[in-house]
Amino acid sequence: MNFIISFVNDVLAVPAVLVGLAALVGLVAQRKSFPEVLTGTTKSILGFLILVAGATTLVGSLNKLGPLLEQGFAVKGVVPNNEAVVAIAQKTLGSETALIMVFGFIANILYARFTPFKFIFLTGHHTFYMAALLSAVLGTAGLSGASLVIIGSLILGALMVLMPALASRYMDQVTNNSGIALGHFGTLGYWLSGLIGSKVGNKEDSIENYKLPKTLSFFRDSLVSTSLVMFIIFLIAALAAGNEQVLKLSGGQNLLVFTLLQALTFAAGVAVILQGVRMIIGEIVPAFQGIAQKIVPEAKPALDCPVTFPYAPTAVLVGFLCSFAGGLISMLALGSLGMAVIVPGLVPHFFVGGTAGVFGNATGGKRGCILGSFVNGILISFGAAFLLPMLGALGFENTTFGDSDFQWVGIVIGAVGKSFKGNAVAIAVTLIALLALVMIVGSLITQRRRADVSREV
C-alpha cells in the first residue's frame, strides 16, 4: 500500500511525469532511436513544467485579487477550490483515493482498447481529484473497502473516456482536427457552451477576427489586451478594498504600482502557459502515435484545458469575464433562494470559463463565446451549491469542487446513495447498471457518428 500511495503521489498525480511516461512508451513502441526517445520524452516533460510554471504565476496573481474583492465588496461565502477539497479528503480517504486512481487508469486503458471510446486521459491531477471525489461520495453513500475501490475505479476509468468523447465533436472544431482530445473534468460546461454556440451564433464570426479602430489596434495583441483588462479589474478591486488592504497584500507597495505589476504578472503567466502548450503538442502528438499503433489503435491523447488556449486567446479572456459575470449573478440568486452562497472562484472561472469561451467561439463566434461561457459560470455556481450537501458529512462544508464534472458526478452518486439509504448492495448494483447503460448508449452513438462521417467521406 505504501508503494502504491508513493507511486500515485510521485508519478500518476504529477501531470508532467505522466505525460512524459506516455511519450516514452509511445516512442519506444515506435522503436525510435535512443536520442529521439530521450529528446521527445524530455521535451514533453519540459512542456508541462513550463505550463505549470505559467499556471502557478497566474494563480498567484488571482490569489491576490480574491482578498481585494472580498474586502472591497464584502463578499463572503463558500469558495470552490478543488485542491482544498482533495487535501481534506486525503486525511481520511488517502488509501481509497490512491487505489481508485491506479485502477482507474488501468480501466481507462481497457475501456479505450475494447470500446469505441479511443481516448487516454493524461491530465494526472484531475484524475487524482476525481478519485478523491469518488472516494468521498461513495463512502458517504454507504460503500467501503473493496466495493468502494472497485466501483470507484470502474466509474473513474469510464469518465476518463466518456468525457473526452463528449467534447470531441467540438474539440475537433477548436483544434482544426489536430489529433488531440480534451482531458479535463469541466467537460459538461464545455459541451454546453459548444452546443449553445452552435444554436445562437455563426462560427465564421469569430471573436478573434473582431476589427478594432486603429487607435485601439494594440488590443489585437492578446497579451496586451489581457494586461489592460486585468489592470482595470485589479484597480477597481484595489480602490474598493482600500489602501490598507493593498499595503497588507503587497508588503508596502504603492497601490498603482501593485495593480499594474499584478496585471502584467497575470499576462506573463498566460504567455508562459501558451509556450508550454505549444511544446507539449509538438512532442506528445507524434510520440502518442506509438500508443495508438501498438497498444490502443486509433487512440487520442486527452490533455488539460489550457491546450485550447492558443487556438483562440481572445476568447479565453472574454470567456473568463463572462463566466465570472455568470458566477456573480448566481451568487446573488443563490442567496435570495436561501441556498449556500457560492463566491465565484477566479481560478475555475478563468480556466473553465476561458475554455468554455473557446468552445462557444468555435461553434458560434463571438455570440457563442459570450453566451456559452456566461451559462458555464451559472452552471458551475449552482452545481457547486447542489454538491455541498453530498460532501457535508465528511466536513467539506466550507469548500467544494469548482468544475462541472466533479459536481454532476457527485450529485448523481449522492442522489443514488440517498435513494437507497445506505444499502451498499443496492447502491453498488444501481451504479454499475447506470454505468453499463451509459457505456452501451455512448458506444452506439459513437459508432453511428463514425458511420455518418464515413458516408460523408
Side-chain angles (χ1 to χ4, degrees):
M1 179 60 66
N2 289 336
F3 171 78
I4 291 175
I5 293 175
S6 177
F7 181 74
V8 168
N9 291 333
D10 296 337
V11 179
L12 296 184
V14 181
V17 176
L18 184 59
V19 171
L21 283 175
L24 174 64
V25 171
L27 292 168
V28 171
Q30 294 179 81
R31 298 183 180 180
K32 295 291 185 180
S33 66
F34 176 76
E36 290 175 312
V37 172
L38 181 62
T39 300
T41 302
T42 302
K43 283 191 174 182
S44 296
I45 295 174
L46 282 174
F48 247 100
L49 291 176
I50 290 172
L51 186 154
V52 170
T56 301
T57 301
L58 186 149
V59 169
S61 178
L62 290 178
N63 284 341
K64 292 183 179 178
L65 179 58
L68 293 177
L69 292 173
E70 183 174 338
Q71 176 72 23
F73 298 98
V75 176
K76 292 186 178 181
V78 177
V79 181
N81 187 292
N82 297 337
E83 290 77 11
V85 178
V86 171
I88 296 171
Q90 294 318 292
K91 294 180 180 179
T92 55
L93 298 165
S95 299
E96 291 87 346
T97 299
L99 289 171
I100 290 174
M101 183 170 184
V102 171
F103 291 113
F105 190 74
I106 294 172
N108 175 194
I109 296 173
L110 294 175
Y111 283 130
R113 180 67 180 85
F114 297 107
T115 73
F117 307 113
K118 306 299 182 182
F119 303 98
I120 304 296
F121 199 98
L122 295 178
T123 309
H125 65 294
H126 258 227
T127 307
F128 188 63
Y129 296 166
M130 184 60 80
L133 169 79
L134 290 169
S135 64
V137 293
L138 288 172
T140 301
L143 299 183
S144 61
S147 62
L148 185 151
V149 172
I150 292 171
I151 293 175
S153 301
L154 291 174
I155 294 174
L156 177 58
L159 291 170
M160 291 167 76
V161 294
L162 287 171
M163 302 323 293
L166 179 64
S168 63
R169 177 182 179 184
Y170 300 134
M171 185 65 173
D172 288 341
Q173 295 183 51
V174 168
T175 65
N176 299 314
N177 298 300
S178 67
I180 59 173
L182 184 64
H184 190 267
F185 287 130
T187 306
L188 179 60
Y190 309 146
W191 173 83
L192 184 60
S193 182
L195 179 65
I196 290 171
S198 68
K199 302 298 183 184
V200 303
N202 177 9
K203 65 181 180 180
E204 301 300 327
D205 186 27
S206 172
I207 202 165
E208 303 299 320
N209 299 329
Y210 192 74
K211 300 294 183 181
L212 292 170
K214 289 185 178 180
T215 53
L216 299 176
S217 60
F218 53 84
F219 272 106
R220 295 175 184 171
D221 187 307
S222 62
L223 292 178
V224 173
S225 60
T226 298
S227 300
L228 291 175
V229 170
M230 293 309 297
F231 173 65
I232 293 172
I233 293 174
F234 265 103
L235 183 60
I236 292 173
L239 291 173
N243 193 54
E244 183 178 344
Q245 178 71 2
V246 172
L247 292 174
K248 180 180 178 181
L249 286 172
S250 67
Q253 211 167 39
N254 176 271
L255 185 148
L256 190 62
V257 173
F258 170 74
T259 54
L260 178 60
L261 287 178
Q262 290 306 311
L264 293 174
T265 299
F266 181 95
V270 173
V272 175
I273 287 174
L274 297 181
Q275 177 59 34
V277 168
R278 293 187 186 101
M279 183 176 289
I280 293 168
I281 293 176
E283 297 299 329
I284 193 64
V285 173
F288 207 82
Q289 291 174 354
I291 294 177
Q293 294 168 2
K294 304 292 184 180
I295 302 174
V296 184
E298 302 179 31
K300 286 185 177 181
L303 304 174
D304 202 353
C305 66
V307 76
T308 65
F309 290 3
Y311 296 97
T314 302
V316 174
L317 180 60
V318 173
F320 161 50
L321 296 175
C322 293
S323 180
F324 188 70
L328 289 174
I329 292 174
S330 298
M331 179 180 67
L332 299 176
L334 288 166
S336 66
L337 293 172
M339 299 175 65
V341 175
I342 303 298
V343 179
L346 292 169
V347 173
H349 279 287
F350 177 77
F351 286 102
V352 180
T355 306
V358 174
F359 270 65
N361 182 68
T363 60
K366 59 175 179 282
R367 283 186 180 180
C369 175
I370 293 170
L371 187 57
S373 56
F374 177 77
V375 172
N376 173 82
I378 296 174
L379 174 70
I380 62 176
S381 297
F382 275 83
F386 284 118
L387 178 62
L388 266 177
M390 310 303 173
L391 301 175
L394 290 175
F396 298 164
E397 296 92 341
N398 295 322
T399 188
T400 183
F401 284 93
D403 301 351
S404 58
D405 295 344
F406 298 116
Q407 294 166 356
W408 74 258
V409 169
I411 291 168
V412 169
I413 295 176
V416 171
K418 287 186 176 181
S419 298
F420 292 100
K421 298 179 180 179
N423 187 327
V425 175
I427 293 169
V429 171
T430 302
L431 290 175
I432 291 175
L434 286 174
L435 180 60
L437 178 63
V438 171
M439 293 296 292
I440 291 171
V441 173
S443 296
L444 292 174
I445 293 173
T446 301
Q447 289 172 337
R448 182 177 298 177
R449 183 178 297 168
R450 288 183 178 178
D452 292 340
V453 173
S454 299
R455 281 195 295 271
E456 292 175 1
V457 174

